Amino acid sequence: LEAEVKRLGLNGAITFHGYTPRASIPAAISACHVFAFTSVSEGQPVAALEILAGGRPIVATPVGVFSEMLSDSRLGMVAAFDAPIDYANVLRRVGEEIMSGARKPEEIQRAYSGRYCSQKTLEAYMGLFQDLAS
C-alpha cells in the first residue's frame, strides 16, 4: 500500500502510522482527518476508541465490534472489506463530509462521550459484576 501511495504521488496526503509511541498518539490522531481500518479480523480496537475520543471519524470493515461501534453514523461508517471500490467510495464520502463541514470533530467527540464515557462504562461493569455476584 505504501508503494502504491508513492506511485500515485500521494505522499503527505496518506499516512500509515503503524506503531506509534504512547506519547505521540494524540498528535498523530489530530494530524489526520479520517482513519481507515481495513481489517479482515479485529477484536476490541482500543486505537479506534482513542481516535473517536480525538474527534476523528473511522471507516472500518464489518469485523469485530466495528459494526456496533459505528452504528452511530456520527462516529464513522462501515464498508465491505471484500469490495475495494465500495470501501473507497465510503472513504471518499466521509472525506467529502469532513471537507464540507458536515462532519465535525466536536460532534464526533460529543457522540463518543455520550456512548463511551468512563462513567457509563463503569456503571455497566458494576451492573455486570452485581448480576454475576447474585
Side-chain angles (χ1 to χ4, degrees):
L1 290 174
E2 289 173 331
E4 186 67 5
V5 165
K6 186 175 183 179
R7 186 187 72 75
L8 293 171
L10 296 173
N11 291 353
I14 297 175
T15 303
F16 296 94
H17 280 282
Y19 172 76
T20 303
R22 182 81 190 122
S24 301
I25 289 174
I29 291 170
S30 65
C32 296
H33 298 287
V34 62
F35 286 78
F37 285 80
T38 58
S39 307
V40 295
S41 173
E42 192 75 60
Q44 172 66 33
V46 174
L49 295 172
E50 291 176 309
I51 289 162
L52 295 172
R56 299 303 189 256
I58 293 171
V59 174
T61 53
V63 298
V65 298
F66 279 125
S67 293
E68 180 184 343
M69 182 181 286
L70 301 176
S71 64
D72 182 335
S73 63
R74 296 174 296 174
L75 300 175
M77 299 179 77
V78 175
F81 61 79
D82 57 354
I85 300 300
D86 293 341
Y87 189 97
N89 286 332
V90 171
L91 197 55
R92 176 181 289 129
R93 179 177 165 197
V94 171
E96 289 169 350
E97 291 172 357
I98 292 166
M99 297 303 288
S100 73
R103 191 177 290 270
K104 297 180 174 144
E106 302 80 18
E107 183 61 26
I108 295 166
Q109 287 172 320
R110 274 194 296 278
Y112 169 82
S113 293
R115 192 163 188 180
Y116 297 105
C117 78
S118 58
Q119 186 60 38
K120 284 185 180 182
T121 302
L122 179 61
E123 289 170 6
Y125 275 114
M126 292 306 294
L128 175 63
F129 292 146
Q130 288 171 348
D131 288 347
L132 290 171
S134 61

